[in-house]
Amino acid sequence: MKKKKIARINLSSSSSQFETVEGRYLNLGGRGLTSNLIADEVPPQCDPLGPENKLVVAAGILAGTSVPNSGRLSVGAKSPLTHTIKEANAGGAVARKLANLGIQALVFEGISKEPVSVVIDSKGVSIVQSDDLNDSLISECIEKLRNTYGDDIGIVSIGPAGEKRMLASAVATATPDFFPRIAARGGLGAVMGAKNLKAVVVDDRGCFPPEIKDKALLKSAVKAFSQGIMAHPLAEGFKNFGTPMLVGLVNEIGAIPTKNFSRGRFAGADKISGEAIAEMMKARPNSNPSHRCMSSCILRCSNVLTDAAGEVIVSGLEYETLALVGSNCMIDDVEIIARINRICNDVGLDTMEVGASIAVAMEAGVLEWGDGPAALELVREISTGSDRGRMIGNGCVYAGKILGIERIPHVKGQALAGYDPRGLKGTGVTYATSPMGADHTCGNALPSPANPDYDPTAPAGQAPVSKFLQSYFAAIDTLGLCLFASLPALDIPELKQQLIECVAAVLDEPLDQGYLERLGQMVLQTERKFNDAVGFKPEDDRLPLFFSEETLSSNEQRFDVSNEELDSVNPILS
Ligand code: SF4
């Protein structure tokens, strides 16, 4: 098999070089590779927006193969929001194209004097001036790059929020049909903006997918894994309603964040549910309730919501946005939530952080609870750079400090996602102890019919659940597999085995049943070592006090997992 490469691009000196992937980076990709490169090369105490930080963009281990739902793109750096090591990932076309070029990762170093874009194709790396892209919205940037480079490209870019180094800014990729997809968390758009790097274009014309030695083994493993995913009850729900189907479920169990995490049920949940959105789409030309963000996707959980005239409002209206911008702000108008989502996608911001910030502003009386039009106006101010806009664009901790609010739902500076930790205590443990601040994708402990004995509100026994899930999803992020495609394998052991067989065929080496767990543990240990060197201590692995002091009215629960149990997730590393 051809050896994979890492492209190292020094923006200070406008130079680049290719390195062959060797040593312990061999057989790594995605989060495993971004986190190991950051841990090895970035000084833990560095300024995340300074020249010593690096931005790593990596394709997962399975990128470019026929494994379904493979091809997520990982972006990693030291986070300016959490000051921890950070990885965020998104779909889109870039990971597949990097794999076709034989490139496992791009490492961006230093700071360019002028705004630039980087173009990567079969001839190598070009660093080009990009003044024409300055201040452009992400959708405008995608359009301009298509006009310049054609439609056979993958795109990574930031919007004005990243250029202005706002702490909640995100890195966007483009789907094969050129809608933005957002690697939202951790303010990684600000790291890219601080490097004066506006966009990366990946063009794989003339290249071919990675070689697979045992094609028959991969074919049979892919067939079995794909059939297992599609036979799982989740598949039908994802296809029909996408992640908005979670609105009803999480509201029902009393854990949907409502009124700045003060309630777990939202009276307007029916209006923003997956069913309501699917009904709305039926009446709107060009809406699509079953869109895919990557060409390899078989689940199609994404969507495209249009207005009555058929003009696209937003693509990828997801549960987390409905929960943080919707119920958490008491806004029950899908149209307004979608328009706020569109602005966030265009300026390049994490909708979860923005929703949490708006709720904090509502708690401070800056605007009324449930006032969607006022929230939309506030979010519009992010583009104009007003003080209020900057406050929202810098995340909920920043907004809370400015406004004198103490109930700020965050861990290590990052807003909680769409699950109240008093209703889902295993997820609460993940929020508290993940190496990346409050991040549900690191280990969301939702109840499942396949595990009827699991009680998500029990005060004890949550740490082992979270620990297992954190390890599992660290491995999944390293494979570059969409986490939704990995959920059935949590319920069905044979499916997990088929996934491991897919990886074994791609890597051309035998892998045993413990492969995913070992891989995930290695990634987590690397990340924790980095955070230890930054100066994080066990007492940082805690939820804000109000979650243990205030009872959630929907289920009469407080977050009562003990500190000893929290500390058992991350034993002190020797
Ligand atoms: S299931 Fe959804 S998030 Fe996953 S690859 Fe498909 S469209 Fe993207």
Side-chain angles (χ1 to χ4, degrees):
M1 282 204 293
K2 266 197 333 210
K3 291 206 167 164
K4 296 264 177 74
K5 294 168 284 182
I6 291 174
R8 201 172 280 280
I9 300 141
N10 190 308
L11 296 164
S12 297
S13 60
S14 285
S15 60
S16 64
Q17 63 184 64
F18 284 98
E19 297 166 2
T20 303
V21 178
E22 285 175 325
R24 59 195 188 80
Y25 295 163
L26 266 179
N27 296 345
L28 272 186
R31 175 174 164 185
L33 191 52
T34 62
S35 287
N36 273 281
L37 282 161
I38 296 298
D40 287 348
E41 299 185 11
V42 172
Q45 304 290 342
C46 78
D47 173 2
L49 301 181
E52 290 180 307
N53 200 7
K54 300 190 182 188
L55 185 79
V56 183
V57 174
I61 291 171
L62 299 176
T65 72
S66 56
V67 178
N69 290 51
S70 64
R72 300 281 293 185
L73 186 74
S74 288
V75 185
K78 179 181 176 182
S79 161
L81 187 73
T82 62
H83 290 260
T84 63
I85 200 165
K86 189 73 198 171
E87 183 264 2
N89 61 66
V94 170
R96 174 169 287 265
K97 288 178 183 294
L98 284 176
N100 292 348
L101 285 160
I103 297 174
Q104 198 67 51
L106 310 171
V107 181
F108 295 98
E109 305 174 335
I111 290 180
S112 169
K113 286 194 188 75
E114 310 291 337
V116 290
S117 296
V118 167
V119 181
I120 294 144
D121 59 22
S122 57
K123 295 192 280 303
V125 174
S126 322
I127 301 171
V128 293
Q129 298 294 318
S130 62
D131 295 345
D132 57 322
L133 298 177
N134 284 356
D135 275 334
S136 57
L137 300 174
I138 284 171
S139 55
E140 294 168 350
C141 182
I142 289 172
E143 223 26 61
K144 285 180 187 172
L145 292 170
R146 284 178 75 186
N147 288 338
T148 307
Y149 298 101
D151 281 350
D152 287 323
I153 56 170
I155 297 170
V156 177
S157 65
I158 55 169
E163 290 178 59
K164 293 185 173 86
R165 303 174 195 186
M166 290 187 186
L167 297 178
S169 57
V171 173
T173 66
T175 62
D177 49 356
F178 295 102
F179 289 113
R181 274 301 171 281
I182 310 293
R185 310 239 66 191
L188 299 182
V191 178
M192 193 161 157
K195 296 195 172 303
N196 252 330
L197 175 63
K198 175 71 178 178
V200 182
V201 174
V202 181
D203 183 341
D204 66 342
R205 271 175 295 184
C207 300
F208 298 98
E211 290 165 36
I212 303 292
K213 206 166 169 191
D214 192 340
K215 293 188 181 70
L217 175 63
L218 182 63
K219 194 174 174 190
S220 71
V222 163
K223 187 175 174 195
F225 184 53
S226 306
Q227 285 174 344
I229 292 172
M230 295 314 286
H232 194 277
L234 278 173
E236 196 63 14
F238 276 130
K239 187 164 74 74
N240 293 332
F241 305 113
T243 59
M245 73 177 166
L246 286 169
V247 171
L249 178 87
V250 184
N251 189 55
E252 179 65 29
I253 59 177
I256 196 164
T258 304
K259 206 175 182 189
N260 193 23
F261 285 85
S262 63
R263 303 173 192 169
R265 284 214 176 87
F266 180 44
D270 284 351
K271 292 191 190 164
I272 62 169
S273 67
E275 292 80 355
I277 294 169
E279 236 3 80
M280 193 174 180
M281 285 182 179
K282 276 185 197 163
R284 298 188 174 203
N286 305 326
S287 278
N288 181 358
S290 188
H291 175 253
R292 59 183 179 179
C293 75
M294 302 191 296
S295 56
S296 62
C297 174
I298 58 173
L299 280 170
R300 306 176 84 105
C301 85
S302 180
N303 53 36
V304 181
L305 178 67
T306 59
D307 62 18
E311 287 296 316
V312 173
I313 301 174
V314 73
S315 173
L317 178 58
E318 293 187 20
Y319 168 73
E320 305 302 330
T321 306
L322 293 159
L324 271 300
V325 177
S327 57
N328 197 42
C329 298
M330 311 280 284
I331 296 172
D332 62 7
D333 184 330
V334 171
E335 185 95 19
I336 283 192
I337 297 168
R339 289 188 187 281
I340 289 174
N341 194 159
R342 169 61 184 263
I343 293 172
C344 289
N345 285 7
D346 261 347
V347 296
L349 281 168
D350 173 6
T351 56
M352 286 173 261
E353 203 62 50
V354 166
S357 305
I358 296 169
V360 164
M362 286 175 165
E363 184 145 328
V366 175
L367 61 172
E368 295 293 318
W369 289 109
D371 189 342
L376 183 58
E377 264 322 298
L378 185 56
V379 171
R380 283 200 176 111
E381 288 187 34
I382 296 169
S383 312
T384 63
S386 73
D387 287 348
R388 286 177 11 134
R390 285 197 77 85
M391 176 181 78
I392 298 300
N394 276 316
C396 66
V397 170
Y398 187 96
K401 278 187 185 151
I402 297 233
L403 297 169
I405 293 298
E406 289 182 359
R407 290 181 79 267
I408 308 172
H410 78 101
V411 176
K412 301 184 182 79
Q414 179 163 267
L416 269 60
Y419 314 87
D420 194 299
R422 290 161 290 190
L424 291 165
K425 292 179 186 172
T427 303
V429 173
T430 299
Y431 286 151
T433 61
S434 127
M436 309 214 184
D439 190 331
H440 67 296
T441 66
C442 288
N444 197 4
L446 289 169
S448 157
N451 187 7
D453 294 335
Y454 173 58
D455 176 1
T457 59
Q462 301 293 346
V465 174
S466 169
K467 198 169 174 168
F468 166 75
L469 291 174
Q470 289 194 50
S471 162
Y472 181 73
F473 288 115
I476 295 302
D477 291 343
T478 300
L479 300 181
L481 189 72
C482 162
L483 76 82
F484 300 131
S486 78
L487 296 179
L490 279 172
D491 293 344
I492 306 166
E494 298 78 38
L495 215 47
K496 192 166 155 190
Q497 189 50 41
Q498 281 144 6
L499 171 59
I500 293 171
E501 276 171 26
C502 288
V503 185
V506 169
L507 294 180
D508 191 29
E509 64 175 48
L511 299 172
D512 63 34
Q513 286 189 359
Y515 164 72
L516 290 175
E517 194 169 347
R518 280 196 309 279
L519 179 65
Q521 283 300 334
M522 181 277 288
V523 175
L524 289 169
Q525 285 222 357
T526 301
E527 292 167 348
R528 282 172 194 148
K529 272 188 189 160
F530 183 90
N531 289 351
D532 285 357
V534 173
F536 284 94
K537 302 275 184 248
E539 49 272 29
D540 296 308
D541 288 353
R542 301 286 185 265
L543 294 178
L545 264 185
F546 75 87
F547 287 110
S548 44
E549 291 175 346
E550 296 176 15
T551 302
L552 195 61
S553 57
S554 54
N555 61 6
E556 301 297 319
Q557 291 284 332
R558 293 178 297 112
F559 187 76
D560 50 5
V561 176
S562 69
N563 287 344
E564 290 71 30
E565 185 158 337
L566 289 176
D567 290 343
S568 72
V569 176
N570 293 325
I572 306 286
L573 297 170
S574 54

